[in-house]
Amino acid sequence: MDSLSQIVLGGAVAAAIAPAGHRRAALLAGAALGTLPDLDGLLIIAFTRDPVSLMTLHRSFSHSLFVLPLLGTLIWWLYRRFGHGRVAQAPARWWWAMVLALVTHPLLDAFTVYGTQLWWPLMPHPTMWSSVFIIDPLYTVWLALACVVAWFARARPLAQRALVAGLVLSCGYLGWSLLAKHLVERDADRALAAMGLAGAPRFSVPMPFNTLLWRVVAMTPQGYVVGDRSLWADHGPMRFSGYPSNVQALRQAQSIPAVARLQWFNRGFMRAQVRDGELVLSDLRMGLEPDYNFSFAVAREQGGRWAPIPPRQLRPVYRDAGGRAVLEQRLAQVWHRIWNDEGVMPAAEVTGG
């Protein structure tokens, strides 16, 4: 999730647990601890500039449920030993406040589609419950309001009531997102079964900033199909559009380390294209057809075979010159589609790049 959501979640959790007289200190400590796991990027970039490594190492060791309780305990011990007395005054409550401010960070991240390695150093596929977009105001607003009230109310009972209400409402929104995801996947299962794709690998993900409009992608032998579902506007069978992927090239290059790493990270939900003799892989989980946020050139064709090259990340269209207009157009399409049943959203018009 975005940094603001993690800041207010960490602050609300810590302030709800710490003693009332320590509330402002707990808000600040929780906000800092809620941000800490995402600073892994600063450490990773010091050792590698490989874009595939940067993507797949993010949310790994710093988001592990094996690592963070130990880190929280270490920070707690240091404050208890060398701090100014608050932790020593209520050690048990401050231990829970610090550890949970850290642990709730990766748990919230796991609700997005990016992938969070909760069990690092074990290597199952990264967890992606994919029921909320990376930025969702209806999740964040309750926690932000609770933190503001708690900051000014300090030790008064109003502060604790606001914090509990904020946490309950934000968790309730996550619960709604899982229910919405179930409803969308139920409709998608029926439509895909009618298309002969009952067993096809698939995922669903909400469109930006909401949980009413969803995107479902299913892999096929020739590529993939994409469908949209508005829980507000759509009532008939779900409809899908098909797109090609160079599955043969992907199969031939699967032993290349960058290809294998991406296959593990995104569970194979990626498009393969050959551009100017290079194999380009695009993560289908993030972006809109035909432009995706994470696309990498990973191999070059040589003598009928694929030879690895230093991975190179390609910029999505909306980050190029004039990209703001492209981004605004796509967000306008999403907003319009939420309230109108128009089948599958058309592939975004791409200019340049």
Side-chain angles (χ1 to χ4, degrees):
M1 291 288 285
D2 63 286
S3 295
L4 176 60
S5 297
Q6 296 290 9
I7 286 171
V8 294
L9 173 61
V13 166
I17 297 172
H22 301 170
R23 187 150 286 136
R24 282 191 172 179
L27 283 167
L28 295 174
L33 291 170
T35 304
L36 186 62
D38 277 342
L39 299 182
D40 61 345
L42 300 177
L43 181 61
I44 296 167
I45 203 169
F47 290 93
T48 181
R49 296 301 177 95
D50 178 346
V52 171
S53 296
L54 291 174
M55 180 185 188
T56 60
L57 289 175
H58 179 47
R59 296 194 188 179
S60 58
F61 60 90
S62 69
H63 287 59
S64 171
L65 295 181
F66 294 126
V67 172
L68 289 178
L70 298 178
L71 176 61
T73 300
L74 174 61
I75 295 172
W76 169 83
W77 179 82
L78 290 172
Y79 267 92
R80 186 178 183 185
R81 179 71 184 272
F82 303 107
H84 297 290
R86 290 192 184 93
V87 174
Q89 292 171 22
R93 294 180 71 169
W94 269 103
W95 183 87
W96 282 107
M98 290 181 172
V99 169
L100 289 180
L102 283 170
V103 168
T104 51
H105 179 118
L107 292 177
L108 179 57
D109 276 346
F111 280 89
T112 70
V113 77
Y114 185 95
T116 306
Q117 297 171 51
L118 295 178
W119 311 113
W120 186 94
L122 305 180
M123 296 296 288
H125 292 293
T127 303
M128 51 171 222
W129 298 324
S130 62
S131 67
V132 291
F133 188 66
I134 190 172
I135 301 173
D136 193 320
L138 287 180
Y139 172 79
T140 309
V141 64
W142 315 113
L143 294 171
L145 290 173
C147 288
V148 169
V149 171
W151 180 265
F152 289 102
R154 303 183 74 164
R156 296 199 297 273
L158 172 64
Q160 186 71 4
R161 289 197 294 269
L163 290 167
V164 171
L167 289 166
V168 168
L169 288 170
S170 62
C171 289
Y173 186 74
L174 293 179
W176 150 251
S177 74
L178 293 173
L179 174 60
K181 182 180 180 72
H182 168 73
L183 296 174
V184 169
E185 292 190 343
R186 180 191 62 185
D187 294 337
D189 288 346
R190 293 170 181 168
L192 291 170
M195 297 166 60
L197 295 172
R202 72 198 64 171
F203 71 90
S204 61
V205 62
M207 294 286 199
F209 313 128
N210 78 101
T211 50
L212 291 177
L213 180 62
W214 292 71
R215 178 172 169 267
V216 178
V217 177
M219 307 306 293
T220 70
Q222 296 78 33
Y224 55 98
V225 295
V226 179
D228 308 314
R229 192 68 171 176
S230 168
L231 292 173
W232 176 271
D234 296 356
H235 304 288
M238 194 168 176
R239 288 156 282 183
F240 286 83
S241 294
Y243 300 94
S245 176
N246 197 327
V247 294
Q248 181 180 359
L250 179 58
R251 189 162 47 246
Q252 292 170 345
Q254 63 184 352
S255 62
I256 292 174
V259 177
R261 181 74 177 177
L262 288 170
Q263 285 268 26
W264 164 78
F265 186 74
N266 60 35
R267 305 179 184 231
F269 293 120
M270 58 185 175
R271 176 186 65 192
Q273 295 176 312
V274 177
R275 303 181 190 173
D276 300 324
E278 292 183 336
L279 178 61
V280 175
L281 303 180
S282 301
D283 193 319
L284 295 172
R285 301 172 304 159
M286 290 164 279
L288 292 175
E289 189 67 31
D291 192 39
Y292 290 94
N293 295 341
F294 294 97
S295 293
F296 305 94
V298 295
R300 177 170 290 278
E301 193 171 14
Q302 294 181 353
R305 295 186 177 183
W306 290 103
I309 62 174
R312 186 177 75 258
Q313 185 169 0
L314 308 181
R315 292 169 62 90
V317 167
Y318 66 83
R319 292 184 179 174
D320 289 336
R324 181 174 179 179
V326 174
L327 182 59
E328 290 176 352
Q329 176 191 14
R330 295 185 185 180
L331 292 177
Q333 287 179 336
V334 169
W335 180 254
H336 179 79
R337 179 68 180 86
I338 291 173
W339 314 110
N340 298 274
D341 181 1
E342 297 179 352
V344 181
M345 284 182 61
E349 294 181 6
V350 177
T351 59

